[in-house]
Amino acid sequence: ENSSEKHSISRDDIVVGRILGEGFFGEVHDGVYKSPSGERIHVAVKTCKECSAEVKEKFLSEADLMKNLDHPHIVSLIGVIGVAPVWIVMELLEHGELGSYLVEEQYTLTTATLTLYCLQICKALAYLEGLNMVHRDIAVRNVLVASPDCVKLGDFGLSRYIDEQEYYKASVSRLPIKWMAPESINFRRFTTASDVWMFGVCVWEMFSMAQQPFFWLENGQVINQLELGVRLPKPQQCPPHVYSLLSRCWSYEPNSRPTFSQLVCLLSDLHSMELEQDGR
Ligand code: ATP
């Protein structure tokens, strides 16, 4: 079946509920979608407030990218309603943003569980790496929690396909400086290797219970520090083995960083080790 058929849905099959949060383009609601097979699926409905033709195109570009993705740790797109009011309908992740979840559950989350979340997001990114897709905005604010042992990458607002050896040259000003690799800050250069750097920062956030990276610096000071070789310190809850992976993700030279598929193997071993330790 082709993807436009797969993702065309009727507004009549959706009941919209309460507001979950505010997105860049408009409110996000929860809701229930009745699928063609009669199944009732909990969904998140993204709306677009001032949806001129130009805004609509930007709003729907995220959904267009998501149509081609199918991974257990990437939020799945259910459908798009392209006529006003324009909606993007996605699977609902009941526990919301990982950032707030980390704060709420900070005294109950084990090191093994945090390592599992890192592994799951790393698998999602290894999948994107295989598709030559650069995410550009890997941070806990863009990870959603499906259940206490399942997280998913949930925001593709800045994602782009890139040709091999190529990179996406960003022009936007809404850039997450404190998460960005030096070459992204200096030259707006975004590659899978810069995603690896950002993934390292996202792992740092997880083990720091969603503290802001470099909260002690202004955006403008970050690049200086990075050039001097300064890196985020090891969070207290972060196992030394995990931190040594982060240090490799933060190699100044993009080619010296590990790939996501290498990181999946390494994190998977570390996760097994953590589980064994918890079991003792
Ligand atoms: P921004 O660009 O500022 O990140 P956005 O337009 O990408 O905004 P989101 O951050 O994806 O919007 O969504 C806004 C809020 O809606 C999120 O903080 C989250 O709480 C909620 N939300 C979004 N998608 C889902 C989902 N699939 N399941 C549950 N909650 C969701």
Side-chain angles (χ1 to χ4, degrees), residues 58-241:
K58 290 212 179 83
F59 178 62
L60 290 182
S61 68
E62 180 180 3
D64 277 336
L65 274 173
M66 295 180 79
K67 277 179 190 168
N68 303 314
L69 305 179
D70 181 18
H71 190 274
H73 297 292
I74 294 178
V75 175
S76 56
L77 178 76
I78 291 177
V80 167
I81 293 172
V83 288
V86 178
W87 289 351
I88 297 177
V89 182
M90 297 178 304
E91 69 167 312
L92 179 75
L93 276 78
E94 307 272 352
H95 296 266
E97 275 182 35
L98 178 60
S100 0
Y101 186 82
L102 289 172
V103 174
E104 285 158 23
E105 300 294 324
Q106 56 181 314
Y107 303 109
T108 57
L109 286 166
T110 64
T111 304
T113 302
L114 292 169
T115 311
L116 176 67
Y117 294 169
C118 297
L119 175 60
Q120 293 176 338
I121 296 307
C122 192
K123 285 179 175 169
L125 291 164
Y127 169 80
L128 297 183
E129 176 177 73
L131 298 175
N132 286 320
M133 201 173 146
V134 177
H135 188 280
R136 303 205 305 150
D137 200 9
I138 303 155
V140 293
R141 64 177 170 274
N142 291 330
V143 176
L144 294 167
V145 183
S147 70
D149 58 7
C150 180
V151 296
K152 302 191 184 194
L153 199 52
D155 194 316
F156 286 79
L158 291 180
S159 305
R160 297 288 181 280
Y161 279 107
I162 47 153
D163 295 330
E164 223 163 333
Q165 301 302 320
E166 255 199 85
Y167 61 92
Y168 181 78
K169 192 134 178 153
S171 53
V172 275
S173 50
R174 237 170 35 106
L175 290 172
I177 298 292
K178 290 177 173 180
W179 281 258
M180 281 159 60
E183 71 277 11
S184 307
I185 300 176
N186 284 331
F187 313 114
R188 300 282 182 261
R189 195 175 201 279
F190 292 88
T191 59
T192 297
S194 66
D195 272 1
V196 167
W197 177 293
M198 293 187 117
F199 170 70
V201 178
C202 180
V203 169
W204 183 92
E205 290 181 280
M206 292 195 215
F207 282 103
S208 310
M209 304 306 165
Q211 287 214 54
Q212 195 197 96
F214 297 117
F215 63 82
W216 53 93
L217 297 179
E218 303 282 344
N219 270 352
Q221 299 174 300
V222 173
I223 187 62
N224 256 323
Q225 294 292 301
L226 296 179
E227 307 254 337
L228 289 169
V230 175
R231 296 293 182 269
L232 291 164
K234 187 182 92 59
Q236 205 196 331
Q237 263 220 50
C238 180
H241 285 112

